Amino acid sequence: MLNKLSPRAGFLLAFLVCAGLIAFGLVLQHVEGLEPCPLCILQRYAFVACGLVALIAGLHNPTGFMRRVYGALIALTALAGGSVSVRQSWLQHFPPNVSVCGPDLEYMISHFPLASSLPMLFRGEGDCSKVDWTLLGLSIAEWALLCFIALIVFGVWQTIRRWPQQRSYFGAH
């Protein structure tokens, strides 16, 4: 089925998946009352970035080199988000001995330089190791990791897949 998808349809589908994941996260936050930890917020940013690249690519309908560029950008952004998911999953399976609630993401970024904020985020103190919600035995971070892996596969597929030549509007190949 994926072989039949045009690059444009694939990119737009990736955008819809990312938008759906962000919407689901917002439902969990605002309807279910689950407050996201700093690592959850970073994962949301990664989904937003993947979704924006996919939307731009879908609107642009790239061929050749630019399709590969968009695919690589999606794969790299998903890799970054996936690494945050791996860290959070690790913290959930092996929580720190002492759990101290640290400042939230907004406070850290506004009061500390980025070089100091990132290590504090990845330390994962406080609620980053807490599992508030599961589906089929997997936490939100683990589901996010699966989605990032799917986006990486999609991005790589867009990068290496050979598509039939498309005609331009002017009749040249």
Side-chain angles (χ1 to χ4, degrees):
M1 178 179 145
L2 286 178
N3 275 345
K4 304 248 186 234
L5 272 181
S6 70
R8 170 177 271 170
F11 283 121
L12 292 176
L13 181 62
F15 164 72
L16 290 174
V17 167
C18 291
L21 291 168
I22 293 298
F24 184 68
L26 292 173
V27 167
L28 287 176
Q29 180 179 354
H30 295 290
V31 175
E32 297 297 320
L34 298 178
E35 286 301 316
C37 72
L39 295 180
C40 294
I41 292 170
L42 286 176
Q43 290 168 72
R44 284 186 188 181
Y45 287 150
F47 281 126
V48 167
C50 285
L52 285 175
V53 171
L55 177 63
I56 292 167
L59 295 174
H60 179 215
N61 194 22
T63 59
F65 177 74
M66 284 308 296
R67 179 182 45 79
R68 290 179 175 88
V69 169
Y70 287 126
L73 285 173
I74 289 172
L76 290 172
T77 307
L79 182 64
S83 66
V84 175
S85 296
V86 166
R87 177 64 179 148
Q88 186 174 9
S89 296
W90 176 267
L91 287 170
Q92 289 174 344
H93 288 280
F94 305 103
N97 292 335
V98 179
S99 182
V100 179
C101 285
D104 66 3
L105 179 66
E106 183 178 336
Y107 179 84
M108 281 191 271
I109 291 177
S110 66
H111 288 84
F112 298 102
L114 188 59
S116 298
S117 297
L118 287 178
M120 285 189 279
L121 284 173
F122 284 98
R123 209 171 302 129
E125 295 174 344
D127 57 358
C128 289
S129 62
K130 187 176 171 189
V131 178
D132 289 324
W133 185 90
T134 62
L135 177 65
L136 302 175
L138 298 177
S139 70
I140 296 170
E142 292 165 331
W143 279 108
L145 177 58
L146 292 175
C147 293
F148 282 124
I149 289 169
L151 286 166
I152 291 168
V153 169
F154 170 77
V156 169
W157 179 63
Q158 289 291 343
T159 304
I160 64 173
R161 171 91 162 95
R162 297 187 65 58
W163 298 92
Q165 284 290 335
Q166 296 177 339
R167 286 194 178 273
S168 74
Y169 293 110
F170 302 107
H173 289 291

